[in-house]
Amino acid sequence: MKRVNAILKAPLYRRCYARLEELERERIFCRHQMTHLLDVARIAYILNMEQDLGLEKEVIYAAAVLHDIGKYAQYEDGTPHEQSGEKIASEILDALLEDAAFSEEEKRMILTAVRGHRRLREDAEPLERLLYTADKASRTCFACPAEGECDWSSDKKNMELKI
């Protein structure tokens, strides 16, 4: 997981993640910290294996740890976090040293997945679909103490295990 660890150690990633953590410190609803990011990664990787998609583990994990990195901008200025996240993720991926770099095709797949993780396109790519599905499945609404106050519609809430 050398390349994923390089992302997690990247100065821009650390700054954006710290800002998001600060903004969500008192949040009672779903948060976007490492527990969520790794839940998404693990669910996506399991689905990848179950569906025999053949996507590389590090590419899946990279997309997962990057998918909410722009969330702080949504809180601060209203920019949808998939848009700001794609831009930030691109900068992080482009700044990785050669021994931790992703190929151009891997970067394209990761950025497409980050951009598409909130609304599933009809012609979604495999990684994009995995990230979308895993992101939604990662939420444990059935065990959330704030579920009753959440403004998610009942059809969006995970009130039982599905995956």
Side-chain angles (χ1 to χ4, degrees), residues 69-138:
I69 199 62
K71 187 73 174 174
Y72 79 91
Q74 188 166 320
Y75 292 133
E76 290 183 341
D77 64 22
T79 303
H81 74 272
E82 67 275 19
Q83 291 174 18
S84 57
E86 179 185 18
K87 181 181 180 298
I88 294 164
S90 179
E91 290 178 37
I92 292 168
L93 293 171
D94 286 344
L96 294 175
L97 297 177
E98 188 176 329
D99 68 335
F102 289 85
S103 72
E104 290 304 314
E105 177 60 13
E106 289 170 330
K107 285 194 280 190
R108 188 199 62 73
M109 289 173 22
I110 291 165
L111 295 175
T112 298
V114 169
R115 182 177 59 250
H117 83 273
R118 289 188 68 199
R119 289 172 195 80
L120 190 61
R121 297 180 306 132
E122 195 171 309
D123 59 344
E125 295 181 9
L127 181 59
E128 182 181 7
R129 184 175 301 279
L130 274 181
L131 191 63
Y132 171 86
T133 302
D135 187 38
K136 305 313 172 242
S138 72

Side-chain angles (χ1 to χ4, degrees), residues 24-39:
E24 289 191 339
R25 184 166 289 126
E26 303 299 322
R27 185 175 164 89
I28 63 169
F29 302 110
C30 298
R31 295 178 68 199
H32 302 87
Q33 272 66 52
M34 199 53 64
T35 301
H36 167 63
L37 303 177
L38 292 178
D39 285 348

Side-chain angles (χ1 to χ4, degrees), residues 142-160:
F142 61 86
C144 178
E147 183 271 325
E149 300 171 61
C150 179
D151 64 0
W152 274 15
S153 61
S154 59
D155 61 310
K156 277 184 159 182
K157 291 181 183 178
N158 294 324
M159 296 311 289
E160 56 186 38

